Amino acid sequence: MTRLTDELDRYLTIRRSLGYDLRTSARVLRRFIAFAESQGAEHVSTDLFQRWQASFGQAGRQTWAARLGIVRLFGAWLHGLDPAHEAPPRGLIPSHARRPRPYIYSDEEIASIVNAAAELPSVYGLRGQTYSTLFGLIAVTGLRISEALGLDAGDVDLEVGVLTVRRGKLGKSRLVPIDGSVTQRLRAYANERDRLLAFAPQPFFVNDQGARVSDCGARYNFALVSQRLGLRPPQRYGRHGRGPRIHDLRHSFAVRTIIGWYRQGQDPAREMIKLTTYLGHASPENTYWYIEATPELLELASQRITGPSDVEASL
């Protein structure tokens, strides 16, 4: 048995332990490793993948794009163990757009976003109150921006500390428990909002006129804050620019939660269904994606299976 075969077996064991069905991936990777062995290759590389593709026979572009994704993920895993390995580049075979890797905000960046949003100017001062509270709520609950904006005053139970999401993805509703500190912040916002408007609006998050904050307005103000903090490059004419997004606050919440499980010695397989429900994902696979997309989580998952000594010995 070759070293590549050994590493493949370990890779498949780790990912299966996280709940993945890897029948297709295992089949593709074993064919790829068999080709590598026939070529006498000891390391994965772009050239090796291209030679495998040329010798494999005819297949559609989408099929090869899928195979590239499978080999690329395995190559990235191997590269983390031995830099001599190479993950084939993402765009080697053009395909449909892929899910972007999330940007994981640090605690300091999140605090800066909330503080900078509080300084957004407006006639009555409600703009800063609204956006600092909105961005902070997403960061500590992982709500989608549409779910947070869709909250009505009656959906925010400040006595019990529960949010009722009625406009979740695919029309699903769910209850989201919140911490006491979050409840206090939401209560402070609601009181100040009602005082500035001189009435209690139906939507929870509102603009200076008392109307529900729009998705466009939230993204525009988030872009302004991000540019001021250097998270996005400055833009002219009110353009948003490119860089970390509001949705990455949700990603950051999920990743910090999972990292906490590993560091506290909890079993991610048992906890994952809770996070899946809390985030309103359609299936656990959508939540497991965070482990693949975040190098630190992949490393923690590896250590959980192999033990720190095994990982260190392989570096």
Side-chain angles (χ1 to χ4, degrees):
M1 186 176 291
T2 68
R3 182 180 176 185
L4 281 176
T5 300
D6 288 339
E7 291 298 342
L8 175 59
D9 289 339
R10 182 164 71 148
Y11 171 78
L12 293 173
T13 297
I14 290 173
R15 293 198 64 209
R16 281 171 174 151
S17 73
L18 297 173
Y20 287 98
D21 181 356
L22 297 177
R23 284 173 291 185
T24 299
S25 294
R27 184 170 62 252
V28 169
L29 288 173
R30 294 203 184 281
R31 289 182 179 180
F32 175 69
I33 295 303
F35 175 79
E37 292 173 342
S38 72
Q39 299 290 299
E42 296 181 355
H43 298 94
V44 171
S45 67
T46 301
D47 176 69
L48 179 64
F49 177 85
Q50 289 177 316
R51 284 189 280 129
W52 179 54
Q53 180 184 9
S55 67
F56 197 95
Q58 292 185 346
R61 189 178 68 176
Q62 289 301 116
T63 297
W64 275 108
R67 291 171 181 168
L68 170 65
I70 293 170
V71 173
R72 187 175 184 279
L73 190 60
F74 180 51
W77 160 271
L78 291 174
H79 180 76
L81 303 175
D82 181 356
H85 291 285
E86 176 187 10
R90 189 183 300 274
L92 187 63
I93 300 176
S95 183
H96 296 310
R98 293 175 175 84
R99 192 174 186 178
R101 174 168 290 185
Y103 180 90
I104 306 305
Y105 293 100
S106 66
D107 291 341
E108 293 74 17
E109 286 174 330
I110 292 174
S112 295
I113 289 170
V114 172
N115 292 333
E119 297 176 359
L120 289 168
S122 64
V123 175
Y124 303 111
L126 185 55
R127 181 187 183 195
Q129 292 278 341
T130 292
Y131 287 111
S132 63
T133 307
L134 172 65
F135 299 154
L137 180 65
I138 294 172
V140 299
T141 62
L143 289 178
R144 300 178 178 91
I145 180 62
S146 60
E147 294 172 343
L149 295 179
L151 290 172
D152 286 335
D155 297 327
V156 182
D157 190 330
L158 298 176
E159 297 302 322
V160 179
V162 173
L163 305 178
T164 301
V165 176
R166 303 184 188 279
R167 304 178 181 89
K169 194 172 184 179
L170 303 178
K172 293 184 177 180
S173 300
R174 70 184 189 280
L175 300 178
V176 178
I178 53 177
D179 185 75
S181 61
V182 180
T183 302
Q184 291 178 8
R185 182 65 187 89
L186 294 179
R187 180 180 287 110
Y189 166 71
N191 290 338
E192 185 65 6
R193 175 201 65 200
D194 296 353
R195 185 187 71 82
L196 291 171
L197 293 174
F199 68 92
Q202 177 180 347
F204 191 78
F205 290 110
V206 297
N207 58 25
D208 278 325
Q209 289 72 47
R212 189 184 304 275
V213 170
S214 68
D215 180 86
C216 181
R219 295 182 191 281
Y220 171 73
N221 282 279
F222 188 83
L224 286 182
V225 169
S226 297
Q227 290 169 27
R228 292 176 185 176
L229 295 174
L231 292 170
R232 295 189 187 188
Q235 300 290 313
R236 300 176 63 188
Y237 311 118
R239 293 174 179 169
H240 293 196
R242 292 183 178 275
R245 309 159 299 161
I246 294 180
H247 200 64
D248 288 318
L249 292 172
R250 173 177 165 88
H251 293 324
S252 300
F253 168 81
V255 167
R256 287 198 308 273
T257 299
I258 299 172
I259 287 176
W261 297 340
Y262 281 106
R263 291 178 174 170
Q264 295 167 18
Q266 294 177 275
D267 183 0
R270 291 186 177 182
E271 300 298 324
M272 195 64 74
I273 189 62
K274 300 177 185 176
L275 183 59
T276 295
T277 302
Y278 190 87
L279 291 173
H281 282 158
S283 68
E285 279 199 4
N286 294 325
T287 316
Y288 277 117
W289 169 79
Y290 289 112
I291 296 180
E292 282 190 0
T294 311
E296 183 177 357
L297 279 175
L298 268 177
E299 178 65 17
L300 288 171
S302 172
Q303 291 182 21
R304 175 62 61 87
I305 298 300
T306 64
S309 59
D310 291 340
V311 173
E312 291 169 2
S314 66
L315 292 177

